[in-house]
Amino acid sequence: MSHLHLELSASHDALVEKLGEICDLRTKKDIVENALMLLGWAASEAAKGLSIAAVDEKRKLYREVTTPALQNARIKAELLAKAGAVEPALPPAGLE
C-alpha cells in the first residue's frame, strides 16, 4: 500500500468535493481511485490510436476528449511503433 499526499488549490479541492457528490463517492480515496482507473483506460485506448469521446447517439454527435496526458500516450505509442519497440500494457485497473 502506498500513501499519496496532494496539495490542491481551493478550486480543485471544491471540484473533488463536487465529484464525490455527483458520483456518490464517500472518500477522496474513492475519487482518486476512480479517476486513476478512468485515466488508465483512456491512456491505454489513446495509445492504441483510438479517440476518447462523449457520444450523443440520438443526434449522432460526438465530442472528443483530449488532454495533454492522452496526447502524450498517443504520441509515445506512435514513436515506439515507428522504432519497433513495444510499450508494456497498463495493468488492469480496479481488479485487485
Side-chain angles (χ1 to χ4, degrees):
M1 180 186 276
S2 176
H3 294 300
L4 179 66
H5 175 81
L6 300 173
E7 292 185 26
L8 300 175
S9 66
S11 62
H12 281 127
D13 190 49
L15 175 60
V16 169
E17 294 295 330
K18 189 65 173 176
L19 288 169
E21 291 172 21
I22 292 169
C23 299
D24 199 24
L25 298 171
R26 295 183 178 163
T27 67
K28 290 182 179 180
K29 176 183 178 266
D30 292 337
I31 296 164
V32 170
E33 287 177 346
N34 275 271
L36 289 172
M37 284 187 280
L38 180 58
L39 179 59
W41 171 80
S44 179
E45 298 301 305
K48 295 175 193 172
L50 300 174
S51 296
I52 309 305
V55 178
D56 181 338
E57 293 180 0
K58 288 182 181 178
R59 296 190 298 167
K60 306 286 188 219
L61 299 172
Y62 78 95
R63 186 172 64 194
E64 185 174 357
V65 176
T66 184
T67 67
L70 297 179
Q71 290 172 339
N72 290 342
R74 181 178 300 203
I75 291 167
K76 183 176 181 181
E78 289 170 357
L79 292 173
L80 287 170
K82 286 180 185 176
V86 177
E87 176 74 9
L90 290 171
L95 299 179
E96 300 98 49

